[in-house]
């Protein structure tokens, strides 16, 4: 009889446990179903930029980003884009995002050298890497991790936000025949390129894109670099200066940036964070594709329709620029540990890329140079 009672208690206990598990499972399923039926939160963000609203290339890239994000998120994340001066001036994008006034910005990292000298490297350095090499350093050479380390104290997360490719040397109101012609030259040129110009006796001037034409036309500046034929034609710079010089030296692969307020990013669900990152990568490549295509046609228009005088900078000028560039980089690296850390990574990657491109890209360019013959 005792054995029967014990067996009954065991069976009852097992049954009770099974029943309890079923109740828990049903409750969990109900909770899961209930959660899936709950409305998902929508996010409405603002993005400020350093470019005129919808300006070709630079200004359209953030608009494209906003479109991608809205479509991929099914409208759960929308981004309203503001051009330079609409909410904040073009040179105040960094602070606006850092302070949380807006959630995002689109600009160029070299504008923030007052925050950290190392930021300039993430746009471009004179005689540095081209767009292809820069993107490789960002995503496979540790560049993006260093970029985020530099921006971390400001509560910002940077993403690569496009690349204009090699920028031309710029528009000049007078001929440049030797290095003496650079002395005293007032030229719109930001970043490390501007520091090189200053070392050679020039006067770098900081201007946003929307200020360039009137400054050049009025004589407030003697020369300007902007981007290349596509954007330079859009600004009508050929109407304000007679000489268009190449080759590019100051910005051989000018990277743009999306910057995101860290708190705003962390408040997004993981799927929206992923959508945002994927959209930045899509725009990063799309911009380079657009500039490569549009610069070709714009240069033909400048040459054939507007009879622009395009010419290379003299060899001795280029040699002086290269030497001054090395001096500027070494001065920064010797006085700023953060700059040195980023520059060491950048230059190490560049040397490896150059070794490979000597036998790949460079050789190919030489061998195809006479293809039209």
């Amino acid at each position: 009889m005792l054995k029967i009672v014990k067996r009954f208690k065991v069976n009852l206990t097992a049954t009770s446990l099974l029943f309890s598990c079923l109740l828990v499972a049903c409750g969990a399923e109900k909770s899961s179903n209930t959660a899936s039926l709950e409305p998902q939160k929508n996010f409405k963000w603002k993005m400020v930029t350093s470019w005129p609203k919808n300006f070709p290339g630079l200004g359209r890239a953030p608009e494209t980003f906003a479109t991608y994000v809205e479509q991929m998120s099914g409208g759960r994340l929308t981004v309203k884009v503001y051009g330079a001066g609409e909410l904040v001036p073009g040179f105040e994008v960094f602070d606006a995002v850092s302070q949380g006034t807006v959630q995002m910005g689109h600009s160029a990292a070299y504008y923030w050298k007052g925050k950290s000298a190392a930021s300039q490297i993430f746009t471009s350095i004179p005689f540095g890497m081209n767009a292809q090499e820069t993107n490789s350093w960002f995503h496979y050479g540790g560049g993006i991790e260093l970029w985020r380390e530099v921006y971390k104290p400001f509560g910002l997360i940077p993403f690569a936000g496009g690349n204009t490719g090699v920028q031309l040397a710029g528009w000049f109101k007078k001929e440049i025949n030797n290095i003496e012609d650079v002395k005293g030259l007032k030229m719109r040129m930001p970043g490390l390129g501007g520091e090189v110009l200053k070392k050679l006796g020039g006067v770098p001037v900081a201007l946003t894109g929307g200020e360039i034409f009137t400054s050049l036309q009025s004589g407030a500046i003697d020369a300007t670099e902007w981007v290349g034929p596509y954007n330079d034609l859009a600004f009508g710079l050929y109407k304000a200066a007679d000489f268009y010089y190449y080759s590019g030296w100051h910005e051989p692969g000018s990277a743009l940036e999306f910057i995101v307020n860290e708190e705003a990013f962390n408040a997004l669900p993981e799927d929206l964070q992923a959508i945002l990152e994927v959209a930045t990568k899509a725009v990063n490549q799309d911009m380079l594709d657009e500039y490569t295509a549009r610069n070709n046609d714009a240069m033909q228009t400048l040459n054939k329709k507007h009879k622009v005088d395009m010419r290379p900078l003299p060899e001795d000028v280029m040699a002086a620029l290269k030497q001054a560039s090395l001096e500027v980089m070494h001065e920064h690296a010797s006085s700023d540990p953060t700059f040195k850390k980023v520059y060491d990574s950048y230059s190490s990657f560049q040397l490896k890329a150059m070794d490979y491109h000597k036998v790949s890209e460079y050789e190919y360019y030489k061998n195809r140079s006479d293809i039209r013959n």
Side-chain angles (χ1 to χ4, degrees):
M1 182 68 177
L2 184 60
K3 290 182 180 179
I4 295 174
V5 171
K6 287 183 177 179
R7 189 178 302 135
F8 175 76
K9 287 182 177 179
V10 170
N11 290 342
L12 181 61
T13 302
T15 303
S16 299
L17 287 172
L18 178 61
F19 184 67
S20 297
C21 290
L22 288 172
L23 286 176
V24 171
C26 289
E29 183 178 354
K30 180 180 179 181
S31 176
S32 177
N33 290 337
T34 302
S36 66
L37 293 175
E38 291 178 357
Q40 293 175 308
K41 184 177 178 180
N42 292 338
F43 297 83
K44 293 184 178 181
W45 280 18
K46 295 178 181 178
M47 184 198 306
V48 291
T49 77
S50 295
W51 331 114
K53 180 76 170 177
N54 283 315
F55 185 71
L58 300 173
R60 289 179 189 160
E63 303 284 355
T64 301
F65 168 85
T67 299
Y68 287 164
V69 167
E70 183 172 4
Q71 290 176 343
M72 287 191 288
S73 70
R76 290 168 52 216
L77 175 58
T78 58
V79 182
K80 183 172 177 58
V81 180
Y82 295 87
E86 289 188 320
L87 278 185
V88 299
F91 285 157
E92 293 183 16
V93 169
F94 188 98
D95 286 338
V97 183
S98 176
Q99 295 164 6
T101 305
V102 296
Q103 294 81 13
M104 277 193 82
H106 189 256
S107 191
Y110 62 9
Y111 291 149
W112 325 129
K113 66 179 183 179
K115 308 291 184 182
S116 171
S119 68
Q120 300 172 95
I121 300 174
F122 300 112
T123 297
S124 192
I125 71 171
F127 300 96
M129 292 191 279
N130 65 16
Q132 179 180 341
E133 294 163 342
T134 299
N135 279 328
S136 296
W137 175 60
F138 283 158
H139 299 124
Y140 290 93
I144 199 76
E145 289 80 8
L146 286 169
W147 199 352
R148 290 176 180 172
E149 182 180 321
V150 171
Y151 278 24
K152 178 71 173 176
F154 305 97
L156 295 173
I157 303 174
F159 298 84
N163 201 302
T164 64
V166 179
Q167 296 195 1
L168 299 193
W171 297 83
F172 295 74
K173 297 175 79 73
K174 68 174 186 177
E175 293 184 73
I176 303 297
N177 295 312
N178 53 59
I179 198 62
E180 293 298 315
D181 292 328
V182 174
K183 294 181 178 179
L185 187 79
K186 292 180 294 183
M187 183 172 185
R188 186 269 179 188
M189 182 173 282
L192 293 162
E195 294 186 36
V196 172
L197 180 70
K198 185 177 181 179
K199 180 171 280 289
L200 293 175
V203 182
V205 180
L207 296 171
T208 59
E211 301 172 291
I212 292 176
F213 179 82
T214 54
S215 297
L216 188 62
Q217 188 179 49
S218 68
I221 56 175
D222 306 311
T224 185
E225 63 79 44
W226 179 221
V227 180
Y230 179 34
N231 284 161
D232 295 359
L233 176 63
F235 267 174
L237 296 180
Y238 63 91
K239 300 175 185 177
D242 292 329
F243 305 101
Y244 196 19
Y245 278 95
Y246 63 93
S247 63
W249 62 273
H250 61 299
E251 294 184 40
S254 306
L256 285 303
E257 66 177 4
F258 286 107
I259 48 176
V260 182
N261 179 276
E262 187 175 14
E263 288 187 10
F265 183 80
N266 290 338
L268 293 176
E270 289 186 1
D271 63 325
L272 293 186
Q273 291 179 353
I275 285 172
L276 186 149
E277 183 166 6
V278 169
T280 64
K281 288 186 176 181
V283 170
N284 189 53
Q285 183 61 49
D286 182 70
M287 182 188 286
L288 181 59
D289 295 345
E290 180 182 6
Y291 273 96
T292 302
R294 305 301 185 207
N295 277 328
N296 301 335
D297 295 336
M299 186 174 72
Q300 298 302 317
T301 299
L302 288 170
N303 288 338
K304 295 178 180 179
K305 181 178 180 180
H306 300 297
K307 309 301 180 184
V308 167
D309 186 350
M310 290 188 70
R311 55 178 72 179
L313 285 170
E315 290 185 9
D316 65 323
V317 173
M318 291 298 289
L321 290 168
K322 184 179 290 186
Q323 179 58 38
S325 296
L326 290 173
E327 292 174 8
V328 166
M329 300 307 294
H330 290 153
E331 287 167 5
H332 274 296
S334 63
S335 62
D336 186 329
T338 301
F339 189 99
K340 184 179 186 305
K341 181 178 181 179
V342 178
Y343 179 60
D344 285 349
S345 172
Y346 181 103
S347 55
S348 174
F349 194 92
Q350 178 178 343
L351 289 174
K352 290 185 289 185
M354 286 170 59
D355 285 343
Y356 177 64
H357 282 165
K358 283 178 184 177
V359 300
S360 57
E361 304 286 334
Y362 181 68
E363 283 296 318
Y364 175 69
Y365 289 155
K366 287 196 305 182
N367 290 329
R368 78 170 186 185
S369 61
D370 60 350
I371 193 68
R372 280 179 284 196
N373 296 331

